[in-house]
Amino acid sequence: MKRYSVFAIAREALRWHQGWERAWRSTEPKASYDVVIVGAGGHGLATAYYLGKNFGITNVAVIEKGWLGGGNSGRNTTIIRSNYLENSSSAIFEKARSLYETLSQDLNYNIMFSPRGLLMLAQTEHEVRGYKRTVHANQLQGIEPTEWLDKARVKEIVPILNVDGPRYPVLGAQYQARGGTARHDAVNWGLARRCSDMGMDIIQQTEVTGIRTEGGRVTGVDTTRGYIGTKKLGIVVAGHSGVLAGMAGFRLPIESMALQAWVSEPIKPCIDVVVMANEVHGYISQSDKGELVLGGGTDSFNHYSQRGSFHHIEQTTRALIEMFPIISRLKMLRQWGGIVDMTGDRSPILSKTPVENIFINCGWGTGGFKAIPGSGWAMAELMAKGEGTLASEFGLDRFREGRFIDESVAAGVAH
Ligand code: FAD
Ligand code: PYC
């Protein structure tokens, strides 16, 4: 691994920042690779990273139609937690959360992991039952603990929260003390730098426009920069998964819709945990710059525009103002959206496909940032060995067999 030290910062300051190396190489595509990954979001990059790190497979290209991290992996609200209900889900999300704990050291890149604590507020009896059930399940699963907090304890932890609002009273919360956030761009950039260090090619501004097969097996992809051959193909394109699957001749049980977020002007520290209020499809945390990061629910119709509807901003902000009156005095600075890939059971797909040696990783919907290292770990194993321990329950077969992994409570904003 290349060494990048704090002394480099001092050295570059002394020479007027003339010597910084590119974090990842910019390169022309080769004629062929052992593995091509489509999509340089967090999941595509993590897949490439763990293919190299865990299996020594480095003749890999990651092909990205825009800029790396320009999809959902650079557009999310960075919440990390592993408080899922089913064993297969909590296993992969906890694997991811635990990898996040040491990802800065592993990548030698500060991803600003901040395990500041995560609350999911219960605002209806239905949510109380759902979250208590998840707390019990998490205890049996032996993951990083989650616990049930009563209303008074919630108020102690989040003093700016109005727990007695007329429309949205708080009844309690599910709490994971080592849930939190990380800096999304840094996760993408750190993974990209390590992939590049391992000799992998990250090819940006290059769209995959077709997938070629011969005898039911993948041979390569057509791109806006020509044909690239490959022995194995990983499709990791979130909201565009259906488009890529169509190129390979199969269909997916995925819907694409916009999810949006917005941030306020920076203010002094006022909330030192992450709070999700899934009943109102809202959530809030404070960035290191002091901005309040707010998010809403998914649009209720399918589309591919990275914006989100205005009425969602209005509804969510109205509810959050009742719960966090401090927000009413703030100016909002910017708003954006991303195209999320939603399955009916709100669980991801990590799977072989009807085409030999094409693998797909999608369906993380509104909740895949927290999964990036675990998903990459699992997908790399699946692609390298043709089967995977963490991935085994998340195959496409489950939709045919009716073996759903219902995570509608844990998915939170996407319930
Ligand atoms: P992406 O990051 O979207 O990457 C896919 C890439 O594929 C894109 O860069 C795209 O340009 C590329 N691509 C598409 N088609 C092609 C093609 N034909 N050729 C080449 N490249 C192509 N998750 C959490 O866990 N916590 C959160 O707090 C959270 N908040 C969110 C808030 C918002 C507003 C949004 C939109 C999402 C949020 N998520 C959250 C979800 C999370 O961001 C995603 O699940 C995750 O980032 C998906 O990563 P990915 O790598 O699969 O997809
Ligand atoms: O999955 O934790 C999550 C999440 C929070 C906001 C959007 N997604």
Side-chain angles (χ1 to χ4, degrees):
M1 190 199 304
K2 270 196 205 158
R3 290 279 146 215
Y4 303 87
S5 74
V6 286
F7 299 112
I9 298 171
R11 187 186 63 209
E12 291 312 325
L14 289 172
R15 59 180 177 183
W16 300 103
H17 298 279
Q18 298 298 305
W20 285 108
E21 285 176 43
R22 282 180 181 274
W24 52 88
R25 286 171 299 109
S26 179
T27 173
E28 286 299 310
K30 294 194 283 196
S32 70
Y33 294 88
D34 289 339
V35 174
V36 164
I37 307 285
V38 193
H43 290 255
L45 291 166
T47 301
Y49 173 57
Y50 288 112
L51 276 171
K53 183 179 158 95
N54 293 353
F55 300 98
I57 299 170
T58 55
N59 184 19
V60 175
V62 184
I63 302 179
E64 168 55 50
K65 74 173 176 179
W67 66 95
L68 75 82
N72 296 341
S73 298
R75 293 167 177 268
N76 60 78
T77 45
T78 77
I79 294 174
I80 295 171
R81 57 188 171 86
S82 59
N83 55 342
Y84 283 71
L85 180 66
E86 300 293 342
N87 294 348
S88 45
S89 319
S90 62
I92 197 164
F93 283 106
E94 176 60 15
K95 175 74 182 174
R97 200 209 54 76
S98 66
L99 288 170
Y100 264 124
E101 293 261 4
T102 52
L103 200 60
S104 293
Q105 293 82 349
D106 194 19
L107 299 176
N108 192 21
Y109 199 101
N110 186 4
I111 62 147
M112 298 164 75
F113 178 59
S114 166
R116 62 183 73 173
L118 172 285
L119 287 96
M120 273 186 162
L121 302 180
Q123 299 185 282
T124 62
E125 287 301 336
H126 179 73
E127 283 186 310
V128 172
R129 278 196 297 276
Y131 295 144
K132 282 188 174 171
R133 183 179 178 213
T134 309
V135 168
H136 295 313
N138 293 164
Q139 280 164 359
L140 292 171
Q141 289 152 350
I143 67 164
E144 184 63 31
T146 65
E147 60 186 296
W148 172 255
L149 305 180
D150 64 17
K151 176 171 132 178
R153 183 76 183 113
V154 172
K155 179 71 183 168
E156 269 170 31
I157 295 178
V158 197
I160 63 167
L161 174 63
N162 173 15
V163 290
D164 294 313
R167 280 181 304 172
Y168 307 115
V170 174
L171 307 177
Q174 185 190 5
Y175 181 56
Q176 188 167 38
R178 287 198 75 78
T181 60
R183 172 101 176 106
H184 49 14
D185 295 324
V187 172
N188 300 320
W189 298 339
L191 286 166
R193 186 171 77 172
R194 286 296 294 122
C195 289
S196 181
D197 285 353
M198 286 191 277
M200 298 178 182
D201 289 346
I202 297 163
I203 302 162
Q204 299 181 82
Q205 307 293 341
T206 304
E207 181 169 356
V208 170
T209 52
I211 294 175
R212 291 203 212 171
T213 60
E214 227 175 80
R217 157 187 281 257
V218 70
T219 52
V221 290
D222 291 306
T223 79
T224 45
R225 284 162 83 180
Y227 175 76
I228 301 173
T230 188
K231 294 179 188 151
K232 291 185 180 177
L233 180 67
I235 299 175
V236 197
V237 295
H240 291 84
S241 299
V243 178
L244 271 287
M247 291 177 196
F250 61 93
R251 297 189 68 196
L252 290 172
I254 289 276
E255 288 186 273
S256 294
M257 44 184 77
L259 180 74
Q260 58 183 312
W262 49 103
V263 291
S264 75
E265 59 190 326
I267 55 172
K268 286 184 179 169
C270 64
I271 178 167
D272 61 2
V273 287
V274 180
V275 177
M276 295 178 68
N278 301 325
E279 179 60 20
V280 302
H281 296 268
Y283 40 99
I284 178 168
S285 65
Q286 189 162 23
S287 77
D288 293 344
K289 281 186 283 186
E291 300 160 332
L292 290 188
V293 181
L294 311 176
T298 48
D299 279 355
S300 44
F301 54 97
N302 302 142
H303 63 99
Y304 287 98
S305 83
Q306 290 177 311
R307 294 176 48 179
S309 329
F310 287 125
H311 69 272
H312 260 300
I313 309 177
E314 194 184 344
Q315 278 167 6
T316 306
T317 308
R318 199 187 294 141
L320 288 177
I321 284 173
E322 177 184 308
M323 295 166 58
F324 299 93
I326 188 175
I327 295 174
S328 68
R329 308 288 297 274
L330 294 178
K331 294 186 183 64
M332 294 297 146
L333 288 190
R334 56 186 187 279
Q335 173 270 357
W336 66 92
I339 309 303
V340 294
D341 42 338
M342 309 282 289
T343 57
D345 63 0
R346 303 299 186 247
S347 287
I349 297 169
L350 288 120
S351 188
K352 294 179 179 179
T353 69
V355 182
E356 202 177 329
N357 284 346
I358 298 186
F359 301 83
I360 188 142
N361 178 343
C362 65
W364 295 97
T366 61
F369 174 72
K370 68 174 83 65
I372 284 173
S375 156
W377 183 289
M379 181 74 173
E381 187 185 23
L382 180 64
M383 291 191 73
K385 303 201 319 206
E387 59 187 16
T389 32
L390 280 173
S392 61
E393 300 291 317
F394 295 105
L396 277 166
D397 292 351
R398 77 175 190 271
F399 298 98
R400 241 191 331 269
E401 295 162 5
R403 192 174 35 79
F404 302 129
I405 306 169
D406 182 355
E407 290 294 354
S408 43
V409 172
V413 283
H415 63 268

Short mmCIF file of all heavy atoms in Angstrom, two decimals, residues 253 345 351 392-405:
data_model
loop_
_atom_site.label_atom_id
_atom_site.label_comp_id
_atom_site.label_asym_id
_atom_site.label_seq_id
_atom_site.Cartn_x
_atom_site.Cartn_y
_atom_site.Cartn_z
N PRO A 253 -37.24 -7.36 -10.00
CA PRO A 253 -38.36 -6.84 -9.20
C PRO A 253 -37.95 -5.57 -8.46
O PRO A 253 -37.92 -5.53 -7.23
CB PRO A 253 -38.65 -8.00 -8.24
CG PRO A 253 -37.31 -8.67 -8.06
CD PRO A 253 -36.55 -8.48 -9.33
N ASP A 345 -39.71 -6.26 -0.67
CA ASP A 345 -39.51 -6.64 0.74
C ASP A 345 -38.51 -5.74 1.44
O ASP A 345 -38.12 -5.99 2.58
CB ASP A 345 -39.12 -8.13 0.86
CG ASP A 345 -37.80 -8.48 0.19
OD1 ASP A 345 -37.16 -7.58 -0.39
OD2 ASP A 345 -37.42 -9.66 0.23
N SER A 351 -26.81 -11.36 -6.18
CA SER A 351 -27.25 -12.59 -6.82
C SER A 351 -26.52 -12.90 -8.12
O SER A 351 -26.04 -12.01 -8.81
CB SER A 351 -28.75 -12.43 -7.12
OG SER A 351 -29.31 -13.62 -7.57
N SER A 392 -25.98 -15.31 0.69
CA SER A 392 -26.75 -16.50 0.28
C SER A 392 -28.27 -16.30 0.31
O SER A 392 -28.97 -16.86 -0.51
CB SER A 392 -26.35 -17.71 1.14
OG SER A 392 -26.66 -17.43 2.48
N GLU A 393 -28.78 -15.53 1.25
CA GLU A 393 -30.24 -15.37 1.36
C GLU A 393 -30.80 -14.32 0.40
O GLU A 393 -32.02 -14.18 0.28
CB GLU A 393 -30.62 -14.94 2.79
CG GLU A 393 -30.21 -15.91 3.88
CD GLU A 393 -31.01 -17.20 3.83
OE1 GLU A 393 -32.23 -17.13 3.63
OE2 GLU A 393 -30.39 -18.27 3.98
N PHE A 394 -29.90 -13.54 -0.23
CA PHE A 394 -30.38 -12.36 -0.96
C PHE A 394 -30.48 -12.58 -2.47
O PHE A 394 -30.46 -11.63 -3.24
CB PHE A 394 -29.48 -11.16 -0.64
CG PHE A 394 -29.55 -10.74 0.81
CD1 PHE A 394 -28.52 -11.02 1.69
CD2 PHE A 394 -30.68 -10.11 1.29
CE1 PHE A 394 -28.60 -10.66 3.03
CE2 PHE A 394 -30.78 -9.74 2.64
CZ PHE A 394 -29.74 -10.02 3.51
N GLY A 395 -30.55 -13.86 -2.88
CA GLY A 395 -30.61 -14.15 -4.31
C GLY A 395 -31.95 -13.77 -4.93
O GLY A 395 -32.95 -13.59 -4.23
N LEU A 396 -31.96 -13.71 -6.26
CA LEU A 396 -33.20 -13.42 -7.00
C LEU A 396 -34.24 -14.52 -6.81
O LEU A 396 -35.45 -14.27 -6.92
CB LEU A 396 -32.88 -13.27 -8.49
CG LEU A 396 -32.37 -11.90 -8.93
CD1 LEU A 396 -31.78 -11.96 -10.33
CD2 LEU A 396 -33.48 -10.86 -8.86
N ASP A 397 -33.76 -15.73 -6.48
CA ASP A 397 -34.68 -16.86 -6.29
C ASP A 397 -35.78 -16.56 -5.29
O ASP A 397 -36.87 -17.11 -5.38
CB ASP A 397 -33.92 -18.07 -5.72
CG ASP A 397 -32.95 -18.63 -6.72
OD1 ASP A 397 -33.00 -18.18 -7.88
OD2 ASP A 397 -32.14 -19.49 -6.32
N ARG A 398 -35.45 -15.73 -4.29
CA ARG A 398 -36.43 -15.55 -3.22
C ARG A 398 -37.76 -14.98 -3.71
O ARG A 398 -38.81 -15.22 -3.12
CB ARG A 398 -35.86 -14.70 -2.08
CG ARG A 398 -35.78 -13.20 -2.30
CD ARG A 398 -35.29 -12.52 -1.02
NE ARG A 398 -35.39 -11.08 -1.04
CZ ARG A 398 -34.46 -10.26 -1.48
NH1 ARG A 398 -33.34 -10.73 -1.97
NH2 ARG A 398 -34.65 -8.95 -1.45
N PHE A 399 -37.70 -14.21 -4.81
CA PHE A 399 -38.95 -13.62 -5.31
C PHE A 399 -39.80 -14.68 -6.01
O PHE A 399 -41.02 -14.62 -5.98
CB PHE A 399 -38.63 -12.45 -6.26
CG PHE A 399 -37.90 -11.34 -5.56
CD1 PHE A 399 -36.52 -11.24 -5.65
CD2 PHE A 399 -38.57 -10.43 -4.77
CE1 PHE A 399 -35.83 -10.23 -4.98
CE2 PHE A 399 -37.90 -9.43 -4.09
CZ PHE A 399 -36.53 -9.34 -4.19
N ARG A 400 -39.12 -15.65 -6.64
CA ARG A 400 -39.85 -16.76 -7.27
C ARG A 400 -40.44 -17.67 -6.20
O ARG A 400 -41.54 -18.16 -6.31
CB ARG A 400 -38.89 -17.55 -8.16
CG ARG A 400 -39.28 -17.57 -9.63
CD ARG A 400 -38.48 -18.58 -10.43
NE ARG A 400 -37.14 -18.84 -9.95
CZ ARG A 400 -36.05 -18.19 -10.33
NH1 ARG A 400 -36.16 -17.18 -11.18
NH2 ARG A 400 -34.86 -18.50 -9.86
N GLU A 401 -39.66 -17.86 -5.14
CA GLU A 401 -40.06 -18.82 -4.11
C GLU A 401 -40.96 -18.20 -3.04
O GLU A 401 -41.41 -18.90 -2.12
CB GLU A 401 -38.81 -19.39 -3.43
CG GLU A 401 -37.95 -20.22 -4.38
CD GLU A 401 -36.52 -20.41 -3.88
OE1 GLU A 401 -36.22 -19.99 -2.74
OE2 GLU A 401 -35.71 -20.96 -4.64
N GLY A 402 -41.18 -16.89 -3.09
CA GLY A 402 -41.99 -16.22 -2.07
C GLY A 402 -41.30 -16.20 -0.71
O GLY A 402 -41.96 -16.18 0.33
N ARG A 403 -39.97 -16.21 -0.71
CA ARG A 403 -39.20 -16.26 0.54
C ARG A 403 -38.71 -14.84 0.88
O ARG A 403 -37.53 -14.54 0.84
CB ARG A 403 -38.01 -17.22 0.31
CG ARG A 403 -37.24 -17.65 1.52
CD ARG A 403 -36.20 -18.73 1.17
NE ARG A 403 -35.56 -18.59 -0.13
CZ ARG A 403 -34.56 -17.75 -0.40
NH1 ARG A 403 -34.10 -16.94 0.51
NH2 ARG A 403 -34.03 -17.71 -1.61
N PHE A 404 -39.67 -13.97 1.19
CA PHE A 404 -39.31 -12.56 1.34
C PHE A 404 -38.58 -12.30 2.66
O PHE A 404 -38.81 -12.98 3.65
CB PHE A 404 -40.56 -11.68 1.27
CG PHE A 404 -41.31 -11.86 -0.02
CD1 PHE A 404 -42.67 -12.11 -0.02
CD2 PHE A 404 -40.64 -11.80 -1.23
CE1 PHE A 404 -43.35 -12.30 -1.21
CE2 PHE A 404 -41.32 -11.98 -2.43
CZ PHE A 404 -42.67 -12.24 -2.42
N ILE A 405 -37.71 -11.29 2.64
CA ILE A 405 -36.99 -10.89 3.86
C ILE A 405 -37.55 -9.51 4.22
O ILE A 405 -37.04 -8.48 3.79
CB ILE A 405 -35.47 -10.83 3.60
CG1 ILE A 405 -34.98 -12.16 3.01
CG2 ILE A 405 -34.72 -10.49 4.88
CD1 ILE A 405 -33.56 -12.13 2.47
#
